[in-house]
Amino acid sequence: MAHLNTILHQVLSLIPRYEFEVLAREHSTGRSPRTFSRWNQFACLLFIHLAGRRSMRDGIRSLSANISRLYHLGLRTVARSTFADANSKRPAEFFQALFGKMYQRCATVAPGHKFRFKTKLFSFDSSVVKLCLSAFPWADFRAKRGGMKLHVVLDHDGYLPAFVRVTKARLHDSKMAKMLKLPKGSIAVFDKAYINYSWFRMLGASSLFFVTRLKTNAVYKVLKRCSVRKGTGVTSDHVISVTIRGEELRLRRIGYRDPETGKFYEFLTNHFDLSPKTIADIYKERWQIETFFRLIKQNLRLKAFVGTSENAVLSQVYVAMIAYLIMAWLKFKSGIDFSLQQMFQLLQVNLFDRRELEGIFKTPGDSHDDINNDYRLLSYVD
């Protein structure tokens, strides 16, 4: 029988170790860890996410009980205090940089978005994670409540998180939006919380397009009424102008009634070439970022944290995003039919099994007899 490493071993082997070590040296604090390396820290955090462990103590105990199966990766048992110190003191920017590397890697194999146009499509939004103010005093939000806000830009090519930042919950979404840098020609879709006409002018000057909802109290002047096709749900297509500090900004207003729900929507965009129905469909696609937030909160440890310092929380958040990208890369490369949520659920109960990684994602009707490709996935790693 061919030797097989554990599922967790194979998952960790999907991380390009050379790139990992290069980043570790770039983000070194000047003092090399004697026993508990960056790799050990990452493996412990990733295990807590994939295994759904409830606390630091639970995660370390579970990993230590199976450490003999992971010695090939150079992992060692670790004291809880050592793990806590590493999460608190080692800058989380390292995991942020590793997340960026993994996104670039996944983007090369991700399927395109569902629209005919070739330009990139992004949606962005934020989600508040509630925290106990007494345990997380740095996350002050309201008088008796703490919280942090997770800002995400979702790339619709494969629905990958392309940008992730964590801020205090009180930061307004529009302030974070101004910091974003997207490829020229891209289309960004977002809700009404981000509406800022001065920012819209900046987007147009940077050759970027947007799709959003029109506020009910918006003041504008109709410049042109375009004809619309009946039966598409589109009720109007207008060229409008809004005044910003005495200067005119031309935009496009589209009225749309959803044939299924009967609800009426007004969309706002600076894209004048796409059909009005496509604009409506683009905004409908924004729902994918809500699905993303729900998936990571249900399947990764983003409600209970293994440390209370801001740095420890940031480290755990970025490793959660890396875990998501690992599963996405695995799904794209192997053509796995299961959803990412199903993949996370299957991994959680099979992490220490010695079997082919792809095998746990096969449907009951698939053949499990072929063991000639045990390391086919690992061959993709540079």
Side-chain angles (χ1 to χ4, degrees), residues 223-263:
L223 302 178
K224 181 180 178 182
R225 302 176 187 271
C226 305
S227 60
V228 297
R229 292 178 57 187
K230 295 182 179 180
T232 61
V234 177
T235 60
S236 60
D237 183 3
H238 297 162
V239 177
I240 66 172
S241 69
V242 296
T243 302
I244 312 167
R245 299 176 182 177
E247 296 184 8
E248 182 185 75
L249 174 64
R250 293 197 173 197
L251 298 171
R252 187 181 181 192
R253 174 201 165 275
I254 293 170
Y256 178 78
R257 188 172 299 280
D258 192 320
E260 297 180 1
T261 64
K263 292 184 178 180

Side-chain angles (χ1 to χ4, degrees), residues 6 8-10 12-13 17 20-21 35-47 63-64 66-78 352:
T6 62
L8 179 59
H9 187 293
Q10 295 175 64
L12 285 168
S13 297
R17 191 64 181 271
F20 185 98
E21 296 301 337
T35 56
F36 192 56
S37 66
R38 270 289 195 181
W39 179 252
N40 273 259
Q41 181 191 7
F42 170 72
C44 289
L45 285 171
L46 185 67
F47 169 76
L63 192 59
S64 298
N66 293 276
I67 202 67
S68 61
R69 303 182 184 184
L70 301 172
Y71 71 92
H72 296 90
L73 287 171
L75 302 185
R76 299 181 180 181
T77 55
V78 59
F352 291 109

